[in-house]
Amino acid sequence: MRQNRPVAVLGGVRIPFCRQNTAYADVGNLGMSVRTLGALVEKFGLHGQQLGEVAMGAVIKHSSDWNLGREAALSSGLSPLTPGITLQRACGTSLDSIITIANKIAVGQIEAGIGGGSDTTSDVPIVYGRSLRRRLLQAARARTTKDKIAAFKGFHLRELKPEFPGVAEPRTGKSMGDHCEDMAKQWNISRDSQDEWALSSHQKLGAAYERGFFDDLVVSFRGVARDNILRTDSSLEKLATLKPAFDKTSGRGTLTAANSTPLTDGAAACLLASEEWAQAHNHEVLCYLRDAQVAAVDFVHGEGLLMAPTVAVPEMLKRNGLTLQDFDIYEIHEAFAAQVLCTLRAWESEEYCKTRLGLDAPLGRIDPAKINPNGSSLAAGHPFAATGARIVATAAKELKQRGGGRCLISICTAGGMGVVAILER
């Protein structure tokens, strides 16, 4: 393999993110992915071009979406000679797909590629229960009509009850919201601070739309031009009226529908390349993907489910000789307002940084004004596998407009993992 070389981020695009069972209820992952990749092809004039790889991802998908990346690429306008692969790491999926493309570029395996993702919680796979599935498989294996009929001996109508995708962690039986409630209590995160964070996200995203920041980042789809979750008319008074969404009985629940991301449909993708390819095709380099890191926590035995970025970031900073304050902007995925606030508080905690992270001192404080300057998931929504590509495209454009700088990306995921990265211009 060749030695590492710079990986350029040339830009990205996404469709508006929409609340579950609204505009994209009947579209599905493939339709959203095709629209998004097609818009990226149009934006960068890639019609008929052969790229090194298209890496897409989806968390909730049908078996027919067996290779979403390849199928979407075949309908995108790219050359059919462009390979495609489908990945999945919960909420970090499209950042992982971008990292996959970046690593191939860095070692010289490919010159350019696309990383992205799509997710739907409207068009979910619904299957029969295990008992009926076994009967159907037994009947399919049977050689005679008599044996096929025998497979259904003792059949009961209750076996027709469908099974829906689970939203709980398999090892704890608790939802992500339940886990985050535990984190909020552990770190003493108040309801007021969560509502304030959520309101700020809506205000910043709305302002970014108004000044035209997203004009070349978001393409209309199904008659929708903006994220339909965005509420620019909200207020702290309105948010304060909402009841807890997860801990509804203890009287200490602080997570609500407003300070938690709603179930969302959407897709996003980014184009990456070597410097040589970008120059040869006359594309501006917005920034470079300098490094990335993945970590996990033992949430089954008490660690916070969404705290893995607190571990991944210091590992990545140490490798790059950086401190937490050596960044101009921070893009921290807002699964829940409480999750962001827990992360920030952990990095400021001397005890946590010493006992859990093995550091001599706290990582320190981040200026809140530098975090998610154009809003984030609480306002835009969170299609699980699309969020990473949304963040990379947004951060890359922000760095260009600032004329340079460094961005820290942090994404927590289900399963107690975190994916983080550094962008630099």
Side-chain angles (χ1 to χ4, degrees):
M1 290 186 180
R2 296 172 56 177
Q3 291 183 343
N4 287 2
R5 56 181 179 167
V7 177
V9 179
L10 306 186
V13 72
R14 67 180 176 92
I15 56 176
F17 291 172
C18 289
R19 190 180 295 271
Q20 176 192 46
N21 294 325
T22 58
Y24 307 153
D26 61 341
V27 180
N29 281 320
L30 182 58
M32 293 189 294
S33 297
V34 168
R35 171 57 176 150
T36 301
L37 287 184
L40 193 69
V41 167
E42 185 72 27
K43 179 175 181 177
F44 290 96
L46 302 175
H47 291 281
Q49 291 193 36
Q50 179 182 347
L51 300 184
E53 184 87 90
V54 170
M56 294 290 285
V59 177
I60 299 178
K61 61 189 182 76
H62 294 271
S63 57
S64 57
D65 294 331
W66 64 277
N67 192 347
L68 185 67
R70 172 62 171 164
E71 293 302 317
L74 285 170
S75 298
S76 67
L78 291 169
S79 164
L81 303 181
T82 300
I85 187 172
T86 303
L87 307 171
Q88 201 265 74
R89 195 203 299 273
C91 312
T93 294
S94 56
L95 181 53
D96 263 309
S97 68
I98 287 170
I99 294 167
T100 297
I101 295 297
N103 286 340
K104 291 188 175 187
I105 293 171
V107 299
Q109 292 178 348
I110 65 174
E111 293 298 318
I114 294 171
S118 170
D119 246 303
T120 173
T121 50
S122 300
D123 181 27
V124 299
I126 301 172
V127 299
Y128 294 116
R130 179 177 296 179
S131 176
L132 183 54
R133 293 201 304 269
R134 286 177 174 173
R135 293 184 185 277
L136 293 170
L137 289 171
Q138 182 181 342
R141 292 191 298 265
R143 294 179 178 273
T144 67
T145 301
K146 180 181 179 181
D147 289 340
K148 290 181 183 294
I149 295 173
F152 292 92
K153 183 180 179 180
F155 169 78
H156 195 282
L157 285 176
R158 63 173 174 267
E159 295 179 38
L160 291 173
K161 182 180 180 181
E163 291 183 354
F164 294 84
V167 295
E169 288 290 335
R171 294 182 178 274
T172 64
K174 296 165 62 174
S175 71
M176 187 177 288
D178 293 328
H179 275 284
C180 196
E181 273 282 14
D182 293 341
M183 290 164 48
K185 291 180 176 67
Q186 177 187 354
W187 290 97
N188 296 315
I189 305 299
S190 70
R191 164 74 181 269
D192 289 346
S193 64
Q194 294 175 53
D195 287 350
E196 289 168 2
W197 193 277
L199 179 62
S200 175
S201 186
H202 283 271
Q203 292 172 336
K204 289 187 288 188
L205 183 68
Y209 268 111
E210 289 304 315
R211 67 175 181 270
F213 180 86
F214 291 109
D215 286 354
D216 64 338
L217 292 179
V218 179
V219 295
S220 61
F221 186 47
R222 285 295 186 96
V224 182
R226 291 188 179 187
D227 312 302
N228 73 4
I229 292 155
L230 176 61
R231 296 289 180 267
T232 57
D233 60 347
S234 191
S235 67
L236 288 177
E237 291 73 23
K238 290 180 180 179
L239 299 189
T241 65
L242 298 180
K243 296 180 179 180
F246 300 98
D247 180 358
K248 302 177 182 179
T249 59
S250 75
R252 298 193 300 130
T254 57
L255 273 67
T256 70
N259 59 41
S260 310
T261 51
L263 295 174
T264 315
D265 304 336
C270 292
L271 177 64
L272 292 85
S274 66
E275 290 179 308
E276 295 81 5
W277 190 93
Q279 184 176 8
H281 291 80
N282 198 31
H283 293 307
E284 179 186 6
V285 175
L286 299 187
C287 65
Y288 295 90
L289 178 57
R290 294 300 190 191
D291 200 3
Q293 182 78 28
V294 179
V297 293
D298 186 5
F299 70 96
V300 178
H301 296 100
E303 287 198 89
L305 176 73
L306 306 178
M307 296 297 284
T310 67
V311 180
V313 165
E315 292 176 354
M316 183 174 65
L317 294 179
K318 181 179 180 181
R319 185 167 59 245
N320 288 272
L322 297 170
T323 71
L324 186 59
Q325 289 69 41
D326 289 336
F327 295 85
D328 301 275
I329 56 173
Y330 303 80
E331 287 285 346
I332 303 178
H333 161 49
E334 299 167 340
F336 305 88
Q339 158 259 317
V340 179
L341 295 169
C342 287
T343 295
L344 299 178
R345 189 160 293 181
W347 284 335
E348 295 177 22
S349 166
E350 181 175 3
E351 179 183 359
Y352 184 83
C353 288
K354 285 187 175 181
T355 60
R356 176 59 181 89
L357 304 182
L359 303 176
D360 295 331
L363 287 170
R365 182 178 181 273
I366 299 174
D367 182 356
K370 296 181 178 182
I371 303 175
N372 303 340
N374 298 293
S376 193
S377 307
L378 286 169
H382 174 39
F384 306 127
T387 288
R390 172 190 69 78
I391 287 175
V392 170
T394 299
K397 181 171 181 179
E398 178 69 20
L399 289 174
K400 176 197 172 183
Q401 289 196 347
R402 289 170 177 255
R406 190 182 289 125
C407 174
L408 174 65
I409 295 174
S410 172
I411 299 178
C412 60
T413 88
M417 296 177 288
V419 190
V420 302
I422 297 172
L423 298 182
E424 190 172 87
R425 177 183 172 90

